[in-house]
Amino acid sequence: MAKESEMKLLGTPASTFVNRVQFVLNLKSIEYKFIQENLFCKSELLLTSNPVHKKVPVLIHGNKPPIPESLIIIEYLDELYPDTHPVLPSDPFDRADHRFWASYIDNKFYPLYEELRRSPEDGKEAIKKQIIEKSQVLEEAFVKISNGKDYFGGDDIGYLDVVLGCFIGWISIFEKLHKFKVFDEATTPRLQEWVKCICSHKAIKSNIPTQETLTNIYLLLQKYNP
Ligand SMILES: N[C@@H](CCC(=O)N[C@@H](CS)C(=O)NCC(=O)O)C(=O)O
């Protein structure tokens, strides 16, 4: 029988969506057991814990049924431990606004990277242009939400910082491999500074996969899932 309070996280160390959950577990100083998955040969535990999507992350908290989907896990943890480093804002309007931008990041911004990876050469420039346009939209959101501070969350990391922050490693790989700049001094100066703050934050840096790991995964994806 699992202990009532034991936290288990099913994931892979180089998964962005898993990393964002790890960031929140770190911020809240929650101890957890990491159960490593092989996404090329999924375990019975993953298939039965997330039968609908069969994806990581999945959180298993004690004897409760498993919780899939990174944003749902993060909100669960935030409600469970509201007093230790809350990540969502307390004001209902601000919470709605942060959820809007989280949905924009997951459904409009990040999917373009997968499109870029899979696109034939002659389609890549148009996708890069869309990524840059969307990064400018995010810059405007950052300026409005951060209110002159270092993070979307203000003085310290909040919900949107972990939601977008988990993609920093991949963004940098795409910049190198596809020779373009997503966040830069001229077009997104505030987000460029934000990237530096995120990468050096103690709750974040230990769970950002290395550039070498991500490059190897990129090459594997190109080979087995082009
Ligand atoms: N919307 C999901 C996305 C999760 C996701 O795409 N996970 C990837 C790893 S980064 C996965 O498990 N992929 C395996 C597959 O697609 O079969 C979330 O936010 O948790």
Side-chain angles (χ1 to χ4, degrees), residues 15-17 20 39 42 53-57 69-71 106:
S15 156
T16 48
F17 297 101
R20 59 166 63 146
L39 294 179
K42 295 176 183 173
H53 298 302
K54 305 178 178 63
K55 291 185 178 193
V56 291
E69 288 294 314
S70 59
L71 296 183
D106 277 10

Side-chain angles (χ1 to χ4, degrees), residues 50-109:
N50 188 358
V52 175
H53 298 302
K54 305 178 178 63
K55 291 185 178 193
V56 291
V58 177
L59 183 82
I60 303 177
H61 182 199
N63 297 319
K64 296 183 178 62
I67 308 175
E69 288 294 314
S70 59
L71 296 183
I72 293 171
I73 298 172
I74 289 171
E75 295 196 22
Y76 173 75
L77 293 171
D78 211 32
E79 286 181 20
L80 198 63
Y81 298 104
D83 299 328
T84 323
H85 200 114
V87 289
L88 270 162
S90 54
D91 178 78
F93 174 82
D94 291 341
R95 272 209 299 277
D97 194 36
H98 285 222
R99 287 179 175 129
F100 170 85
W101 287 109
S103 161
Y104 181 84
I105 291 164
D106 277 10
N107 301 316
K108 300 286 177 202
F109 180 67

